[in-house]
């Protein structure tokens, strides 16, 4: 790792001095919760959240058995469908897009959307007789994985009868309601999570490793590199990559550069998707926070404000981003450059960023292991569902330039623009939203993000509500969706995702956040094209 910190150099030195005075590295490894908070209740939460520090070594003892079990499924299945949310889905998603296919292993697909179209699409691609379904939830009470379990178990039962349970694996913490339900349904196997690891720190536990094993990943290599990273993060500050990266993140945020912008090359090009949850949910609280910016194309320095910290992660032989990053560095933007050799280095990177996030949380004075504002949107969603009434669907039309102009004109220096999309996360939809975000970035010089709901509610949603009031939110949802019933429930997935969008918007507005809802017609492509044209026009008007 190389740091080129420019204007935040003095703040970094100050942060490093503080870490040394407070003996922060030793106290992290001693699991000293008082490093982060003096409050007794907060310390209890922290002490029950530090299992990630040593999980790689513990899981190394189980690696061979996990890989053997995964190999035993090859004759019985052609593919696997992993169903979860947040920490239960993001690591498997990154693994699935980073590691090459392995002959005799199961390619995995990840489902983390309640949109009826996405669920139908996943169901159509997976024959129950040849699929292993993996249902993943730490608490065992999260709405979405429980609904996925119900819906796909019902589909499998319709096809396979009493043999349906044999097609399912469950990953959940010991004693959870999902563990009990899994036993009732006769699932093939239940894997225990570690109760001392929070969801966003769980990539190197069963929640990440079971799906990785199914797709043929060499768990020994992945965990070996994680253990090497952990060893490096025990060193003194000057030689400790996790402490130094955390000091850089904290110093940047305290200096007003709280938008960490990732430039990541293959094979781990979607690594930023995992760090989004880790960083945003860990730091976005008490009016503070670090915003991770993923998949925002790099541009000329003139397109940015003075609130960025750039991070590149690339192979030694890949300099694709280097010209753009060199120009940004020359223009006075701090940056960190990390090198990897192959996808197995995800083990090292995941531990490194977990450690760095814990360090940054200390410097910001927050508890990086809780998520106090995530539950609010969940509660509002549940209230809508319990009411028995359809969620409110009012909002602006995609072409409403006046409403868009009012929203976009509120963007100022240090703000960020977040598109929260409750529509299918198809490549076509994502490309359209990418064009819109870059229009706003280039015109207003602000950081931009895209989150598909409800995935982002379990990720950046904490920062949206608990972080600084610098977010401007464009919620994109659908006015018409085909219904998809859920057996035994008075409502189906259409009502669920509409309720999640309504609850999220209500939570934002209850905090006075700047937010606009746009409702697309049934033809999403046409609606997004109208939205892009209206955003472009609104930005031109604001520039006059």
């Amino acid at each position: 790792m190389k740091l080129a910190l420019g204007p935040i150099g003095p703040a970094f030195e100050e942060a490093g001095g503080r870490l040394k005075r407070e003996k922060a590295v030793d106290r992290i490894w001693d699991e000293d919760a008082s490093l982060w908070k003096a409050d007794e209740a907060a310390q209890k939460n922290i002490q029950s959240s530090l299992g990630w520090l040593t999980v790689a070594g513990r899981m190394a003892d189980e690696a061979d058995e996990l890989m053997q079990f995964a190999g035993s499924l090859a004759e019985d299945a052609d593919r696997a469908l992993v169903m979860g949310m947040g920490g239960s889905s993001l690591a498997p998603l990154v693994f699935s897009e980073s590691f090459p296919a392995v002959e005799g292993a199961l390619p995995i697909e990840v489902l983390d959307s309640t949109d009826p179209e996405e669920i139908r699409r996943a169901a159509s691609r997976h024959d129950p007789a040849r699929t292993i379904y993996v249902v993943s939830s730490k608490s065992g009470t999260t709405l979405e994985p429980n609904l996925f379990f119900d819906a796909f178990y019902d589909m499998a039962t319709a096809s396979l009868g009493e043999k349906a349970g044999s097609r399912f694996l469950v990953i959940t913490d010991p004693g959870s309601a999902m563990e009990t339900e899994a036993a009732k349904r006769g699932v093939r196997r239940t894997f225990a999570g570690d109760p001392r690891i929070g969801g966003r720190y769980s990539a190197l536990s069963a929640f990440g490793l079971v799906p990785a094993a199914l797709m043929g990943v060499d768990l020994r290599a992945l965990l070996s590199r994680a253990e090497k990273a952990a060893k490096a993060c025990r060193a003194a500050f000057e030689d400790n990559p996790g402490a130094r990266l955390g000091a850089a993140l904290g110093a940047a945020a305290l200096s007003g550069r709280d938008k960490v912008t990732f430039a990541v090359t293959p094979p781990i090009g979607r690594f930023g998707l995992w760090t989004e949850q880790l960083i945003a949910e860990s730091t976005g609280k008490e009016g503070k926070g670090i915003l991770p910016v993923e998949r925002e194309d790099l541009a000329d320095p003139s397109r940015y404000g003075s609130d960025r910290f750039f991070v590149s992660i690339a192979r030694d032989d890949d300099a694709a981003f280097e010209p753009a990053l060199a120009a940004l560095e020359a223009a006075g933007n701090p940056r960190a450059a990390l090198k990897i050799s192959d996808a197995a280095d995800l083990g090292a990177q995941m531990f490194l960023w977990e450690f760095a996030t814990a360090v940054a949380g200390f410097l910001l004075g927050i508890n990086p292991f809780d998520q106090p504002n995530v539950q609010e949107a969940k509660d509002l969603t549940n209230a809508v569902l319990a009411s028995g009434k359809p969620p409110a669907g009012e909002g602006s039309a995609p072409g409403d330039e006046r409403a868009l102009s009012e929203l976009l004109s509120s963007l100022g220096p240090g703000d960020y623009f977040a598109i929260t999309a409750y529509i299918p996360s198809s490549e076509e939809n994502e490309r359209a939203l990418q064009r819109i975000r870059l229009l706003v970035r280039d015109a207003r010089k602000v950081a931009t993000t895209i989150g598909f709901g409800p995935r982002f509610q379990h990720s950046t949603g904490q920062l949206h509500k608990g972080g600084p009031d610098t977010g401007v939110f464009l919620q994109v949802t659908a006015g018409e969706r085909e219904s998809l019933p859920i057996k035994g429930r008075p409502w189906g997935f259409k009502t669920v995702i509409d309720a999640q969008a309504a609850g999220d918007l209500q939570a934002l507005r209850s905090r006075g956040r700047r937010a606009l809802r746009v409702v697309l017609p049934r033809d999403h492509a046409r609606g997004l094209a109208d939205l892009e044209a209206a955003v472009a026009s609104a930005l031109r008007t604001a520039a006059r």
Side-chain angles (χ1 to χ4, degrees):
M1 181 179 71
K2 293 183 179 179
L3 299 175
L5 300 180
I8 68 164
F12 172 78
E13 295 299 328
E14 182 179 341
R18 185 180 170 201
L19 291 172
K20 288 184 278 190
R21 289 192 304 274
E22 296 282 352
K23 299 181 179 179
V25 170
D26 289 341
R27 289 170 69 187
I28 290 172
W29 284 104
D30 289 341
E31 299 188 10
D32 180 359
S34 69
L35 177 69
W36 292 279
K37 287 292 181 182
D39 176 73
E40 185 176 337
Q43 288 187 14
K44 186 176 180 180
N45 164 264
I46 293 167
Q47 286 167 344
S48 65
S49 304
L50 295 172
W52 57 273
L53 283 164
T54 53
V55 70
R58 296 196 305 277
M59 293 305 296
D61 295 334
E62 301 180 31
D64 287 343
E65 193 276 329
L66 278 178
M67 290 189 291
Q68 287 170 7
F69 172 78
S72 73
L73 301 176
E75 293 183 2
D76 195 27
D78 300 320
R79 58 199 305 146
L81 179 64
V82 178
M83 299 175 279
M85 276 287 157
S88 299
S89 64
L90 292 174
L93 184 57
V94 171
F95 288 150
S96 72
E97 298 204 10
S98 301
F99 287 95
V102 175
E103 186 177 355
L106 304 181
I108 70 170
E109 182 179 341
V110 176
L111 176 64
D112 60 356
S113 173
T114 52
D115 186 276
E117 182 180 324
E118 293 232 42
I119 294 166
R120 279 199 178 90
R121 189 164 53 208
S124 70
R125 286 199 290 255
H126 293 83
D127 173 7
R130 299 297 300 170
T131 298
I132 293 296
Y133 299 98
V134 184
V135 186
S136 188
S137 170
K138 272 195 65 67
S139 68
T141 60
T142 303
L143 175 68
E144 298 92 341
N146 279 295
L147 294 181
F148 297 152
F149 197 5
D150 290 348
F152 282 85
Y153 183 79
D154 186 46
M155 294 177 199
T157 299
S159 175
L160 303 174
E162 294 180 356
K163 296 181 180 179
S166 68
R167 310 310 302 171
F168 285 80
L169 308 178
V170 167
I171 312 171
T172 189
D173 280 358
S176 76
M178 182 173 283
E179 182 184 55
T180 302
E181 188 61 29
K184 288 180 182 178
R185 294 180 178 179
V187 306
R188 193 173 199 133
R189 182 167 172 180
T190 296
F191 294 89
D194 186 336
R196 294 190 68 245
I197 303 177
R200 59 188 177 273
Y201 290 84
S202 67
L204 299 174
S205 74
F207 291 96
L209 297 186
V210 171
L214 294 179
M215 57 179 292
V217 172
D218 183 348
L219 301 188
R220 289 163 300 200
L222 189 74
L223 292 167
S224 172
R225 297 190 197 184
E227 287 188 275
K228 288 179 181 178
K231 183 178 180 180
C233 288
R234 288 180 178 271
F237 177 76
E238 288 76 11
D239 299 313
N240 187 317
R244 290 177 67 79
L245 180 59
L249 290 170
L254 292 169
S255 302
R257 292 183 176 271
D258 57 355
K259 318 296 191 305
V260 181
T261 304
F262 286 88
V264 187
T265 64
I268 65 167
R270 293 311 304 270
F271 180 68
L273 190 62
W274 177 80
T275 60
E276 270 191 334
Q277 181 191 23
L278 175 69
I279 296 172
E281 198 169 70
S282 297
T283 68
K285 58 202 71 170
E286 299 181 31
K288 306 171 186 177
I290 299 171
L291 177 75
V293 181
E294 192 244 2
R295 260 194 174 182
E296 184 192 69
D297 296 344
L298 294 177
D300 183 84
S302 64
R303 303 296 188 185
Y304 300 95
S306 58
D307 58 350
R308 303 284 192 135
F309 176 45
F310 291 92
V311 173
S312 62
I313 307 176
R315 295 193 313 268
D316 281 324
D317 60 351
D318 191 336
F321 292 132
E322 195 52 37
L325 288 166
L328 288 163
E329 180 184 336
N333 292 286
R335 63 175 289 205
L338 296 93
K339 294 296 183 181
I340 62 165
S341 56
D342 55 33
D345 273 340
L346 278 170
Q349 287 297 318
M350 285 172 162
F351 185 88
L352 175 69
W353 283 92
E354 288 170 349
F355 197 90
T357 299
V359 170
F362 159 69
L363 293 170
L364 292 176
I366 51 91
N367 174 4
F369 307 108
D370 67 355
Q371 49 282 334
N373 303 108
V374 168
Q375 190 61 39
E376 182 181 0
K378 295 181 183 180
D379 290 342
L380 291 169
T381 295
N382 290 332
V384 172
L385 293 174
S387 72
K389 300 176 182 178
E394 68 274 1
S396 298
D400 188 345
E401 184 181 333
R402 181 199 60 78
L404 287 165
S405 180
E406 183 177 345
L407 181 77
L408 297 172
S409 65
S410 74
L411 283 163
D415 285 344
Y416 66 92
F417 176 69
I419 300 175
T420 60
Y422 288 86
I423 57 177
S425 56
S426 65
E427 291 184 7
E428 180 183 24
N429 288 344
E430 185 163 1
R431 282 195 299 269
L433 295 175
Q434 285 281 4
R435 291 193 297 270
I436 293 169
R437 80 185 288 191
L438 294 179
L439 285 173
V440 176
R441 190 273 310 270
D442 292 348
R444 305 297 293 181
K445 299 183 180 182
V446 296
T448 64
T449 66
I450 296 172
F452 283 95
R455 173 199 291 165
F456 77 86
Q457 285 192 13
H458 302 258
S459 178
T460 52
Q462 168 62 45
L463 183 138
H464 292 169
K465 285 96 174 176
D469 186 13
T470 52
V472 173
F473 303 92
L474 177 63
Q475 184 185 94
V476 180
T477 188
E480 300 178 52
R481 306 182 201 265
E482 292 185 12
S483 61
L484 181 60
I486 305 169
K487 186 177 179 180
R489 309 274 182 164
W491 29 256
F493 281 107
K494 174 187 183 302
T495 303
V496 171
I497 193 168
D498 287 345
Q500 289 172 317
D504 185 43
L505 188 65
Q506 187 178 343
L508 290 171
R509 288 179 171 169
S510 72
R511 286 174 165 72
R513 301 300 200 231
R514 293 161 284 175
L516 172 69
R517 165 183 279 179
V518 166
V519 181
L520 300 182
R522 181 175 289 275
D523 184 345
H524 291 174
R526 181 172 64 82
L528 289 170
D530 290 344
L531 178 60
E532 181 181 353
V535 166
S537 181
L539 290 169
R540 286 194 298 270
T541 300
R544 290 184 189 133

